[in-house]
Amino acid sequence: MTEFVEANFDGLVGPTHHYGGLAYGNVASEKHAHSVSRPRNAALQGIAKMRALSNRGVVQGVLPPQERPHVPTLRALGFTGSDAQVVAHAARDAPHLLEAVSSASAMWAANAATVSPSPDTADGRIHFTPANLASHLHRAMEAPTTRRALEHLFPDESRFAVHAPLPAALPDEGAANHTRLARHHGAPGVELFVYGRGNVEVPRRYPARQHADASRAIARRHGVAAAVFVQQTPAVIDQGVFHNDVIAVGHRNLLLRHEDAWQDGDEVEQRLAEHVDDLRTVVVGADEIPVDVAVRTYLFNSQLVDTDVGTLLVAPEEVRDDTKVWGFVQDRLVADGFVDDVLVFDLRQSMRNGGGPACLRLRVVMSPDEMTAVHQPALFDERLDRRLTSWVQRHYREELTSEELADPVLLDETRAALEELTDIMDLGQFYEFQQ
Ligand code: SUG
């Protein structure tokens, strides 16, 4: 048997990380709108997670941050003049648009794409569909660059297929609404697609982001042999579950789900078990962990990863801070043998925008052969760690306020940083400002 492994590609936090209050329905983003951010800290928190997982034998990759503020988008919105004038005019006339085009949201790599590994697909290639993220301006801007990044990192068309994002009329949020389960990584798996809209009852308070037709189109174009489609419960979306990965997480043959996550959850589980005969599930009751507590602590946004010492739960500090949730982790997950250990990280900078450990990574299950075809400078090792850490320390501001997004020096600073990053990650002339 060739040993397939699950690589985790984390989004490197960009230098303009800030709190724009841009994501309606994401309660953390709304709550922290316009508070002071700490970009350097945010990036170092992300790198610390990559380092810890890499040290435990997880194959860890890096997705580069995007060019922000994104001047081409401001030009498309009618702002004119030099790049500095474009930013100044937007700051004066439409500061909310400047906030949107300055968002470092590409850090949440779980929204970069949906990935179907080769054991699941008709042509035996790994398929990627970059998410169009059409439900929000600041996120929709990511799609073209994400596509180029994936083409750069996974260049060999005989092994990898990077598709175009879907048309914007069918909003798609990528792997955050997609889970793959299988007996082991190299076995044909079943792919679970979770949607919230598309000819179904919609939530009353908050918008549903993922369209059912988008999920179906992805499964179709990837040639996924075994796909299961499920509707997210409108009531949980109304409680702040804007992505499925806020209420369920699956890994290999283990599924952890809240009982309220999906319409007909038990039936869905049976259908999954038809494809994965040793499926193990933990169903979390609302009496054990109410949905609002799941949203506040991000328990379900933990990563489940295989390491040298078994399966780890990679959780945010907020999980340990809540006595009841921490008790659940110890009594139901560790003591019952579903996970072997728990790693806890301070990811507060990202968490305050609604991004936990699982949001920060894109999983790509690969064979050793496929792994050799990946753009190697994007793979995390001690050298990349040292170079990225020093790069962040030299280029990132300690603090950033919404008003400071208008600072013309910030544009030059971020460009200088990204210029150096293209060298560190061997990305060529990757960014639009370099063309
Ligand atoms: O799309 N937050 C992101 C968080 C994404 C989390 N990803 C996953 N669950 N996989 C979002 O809501 C907030 C940005 C701001 O307000 O500045 C934001 O976009």
Side-chain angles (χ1 to χ4, degrees):
M1 183 184 72
T2 13
E3 276 293 324
F4 278 69
V5 297
E6 179 194 274
N8 281 252
F9 286 79
D10 277 43
L12 182 57
V13 178
T16 56
H17 157 64
H18 72 101
Y19 300 112
L22 300 168
Y24 182 59
N26 166 345
V27 288
S29 152
E30 287 182 62
K31 182 170 168 203
H32 297 104
H34 305 122
S35 56
V36 180
S37 66
R38 302 179 67 81
R40 188 187 303 167
N41 209 352
L44 294 177
Q45 288 175 351
I47 292 172
K49 176 166 87 75
M50 295 190 226
R51 179 184 307 127
L53 293 194
S54 174
N55 284 344
R56 283 166 177 79
V58 176
V59 177
Q60 182 69 59
V62 181
L63 284 171
Q66 300 200 358
E67 171 182 339
R68 300 287 182 268
H70 195 241
V71 174
T73 297
L74 290 178
R75 290 193 186 281
L77 298 176
F79 297 101
T80 55
S82 66
D83 286 356
Q85 284 168 333
V86 164
V87 170
H89 292 160
R92 185 193 61 204
D93 297 345
H96 62 292
L97 292 180
L98 180 59
E99 285 176 350
V101 304
S102 301
S103 177
S105 55
M107 74 174 84
W108 299 301
N111 304 118
T114 305
V115 186
S116 300
S118 53
D120 298 358
T121 64
D123 65 3
R125 293 189 294 168
I126 305 181
H127 285 251
F128 300 82
T129 290
N132 64 27
L133 294 166
S135 60
H136 293 81
L137 172 67
H138 70 291
R139 304 235 51 191
M141 289 164 41
E142 296 169 35
T145 308
T146 299
R147 180 185 183 179
R148 282 193 294 113
L150 293 173
E151 285 168 349
H152 201 93
L153 266 53
F154 303 97
D156 177 356
E157 288 179 20
S158 71
R159 297 183 175 94
F160 309 124
V162 179
H163 297 264
L166 291 171
L170 297 177
D172 163 36
E173 302 269 325
N177 293 324
H178 173 256
T179 305
R180 175 190 192 248
L181 297 156
R183 273 187 74 87
H184 55 84
H185 291 312
V190 58
E191 299 194 12
L192 174 69
F193 293 83
V194 184
Y195 57 84
R197 58 190 276 199
N199 213 9
V200 291
E201 182 199 346
V202 289
R204 288 156 198 264
R205 182 170 179 214
Y206 289 140
R209 296 197 193 182
Q210 180 83 29
H211 200 291
D213 282 331
S215 301
R216 290 183 193 282
I218 292 168
R220 204 179 295 125
R221 59 171 23 181
H222 289 191
V224 174
V228 170
F229 301 92
V230 52
Q231 187 194 342
Q232 209 177 358
T233 316
V236 299
I237 297 176
D238 277 338
Q239 289 174 85
V241 181
F242 58 98
H243 287 137
N244 179 63
D245 67 6
V246 176
I247 199 80
V249 56
H251 170 79
R252 217 162 15 87
N253 63 345
L254 177 59
L255 175 64
L256 174 65
R257 67 173 172 98
H258 194 279
E259 65 173 347
D260 294 336
W262 310 321
Q263 304 283 58
D264 307 317
D266 293 340
E267 192 209 310
V268 170
E269 196 176 302
Q270 276 170 24
R271 285 166 63 203
L272 296 172
E274 284 166 21
H275 298 280
V276 183
D277 53 18
D278 62 347
L279 185 70
R280 300 187 305 155
T281 55
V282 183
V283 184
V284 186
D287 54 338
E288 291 174 283
I289 300 183
V291 173
D292 66 314
V293 175
V295 171
R296 183 165 45 73
T297 61
Y298 262 38
L299 166 67
F300 293 90
N301 204 262
S302 298
Q303 291 173 248
L304 289 165
V305 294
D306 297 321
T307 69
D308 308 340
V309 294
T311 302
L312 288 189
L313 185 85
V314 178
E317 286 275 9
E318 285 75 356
V319 162
R320 188 165 54 189
D321 291 347
D322 186 292
T323 319
K324 206 169 163 187
V325 174
W326 189 242
F328 171 87
V329 168
Q330 296 304 328
D331 300 342
R332 290 273 316 268
L333 300 183
V334 181
D336 287 353
F338 290 105
V339 303
D340 296 294
D341 206 353
V342 187
L343 272 189
V344 177
F345 288 95
D346 175 2
L347 295 166
R348 288 210 166 84
Q349 284 297 308
S350 168
M351 285 285 286
R352 286 158 64 94
N353 254 337
C359 299
L360 288 160
R361 60 91 173 100
L362 183 69
R363 293 180 286 186
V364 187
V365 167
M366 283 188 278
S367 68
D369 173 60
E370 289 161 343
M371 192 81 74
T372 59
V374 174
H375 179 66
Q376 301 294 307
L379 295 180
F380 193 87
D381 57 11
E382 270 178 40
R383 178 160 185 267
L384 185 58
D385 181 6
R386 262 198 317 277
R387 295 184 81 188
L388 290 179
T389 303
S390 145
W391 172 78
V392 168
Q393 277 159 346
R394 283 180 291 108
H395 288 284
Y396 281 49
R397 292 191 182 189
E398 204 161 328
E399 290 189 348
L400 193 59
T401 62
S402 304
E403 293 71 37
E404 283 163 355
L405 296 174
D407 179 355
V409 178
L410 184 66
L411 181 65
D412 296 337
E413 272 174 31
T414 59
R415 288 182 173 176
L418 296 181
E419 182 85 45
E420 189 182 326
L421 183 69
T422 53
D423 189 36
I424 294 173
M425 291 185 65
D426 195 11
L427 294 171
Q429 304 293 99
F430 180 72
Y431 293 105
E432 284 152 285
F433 73 86
Q434 296 174 308
Q435 306 298 309

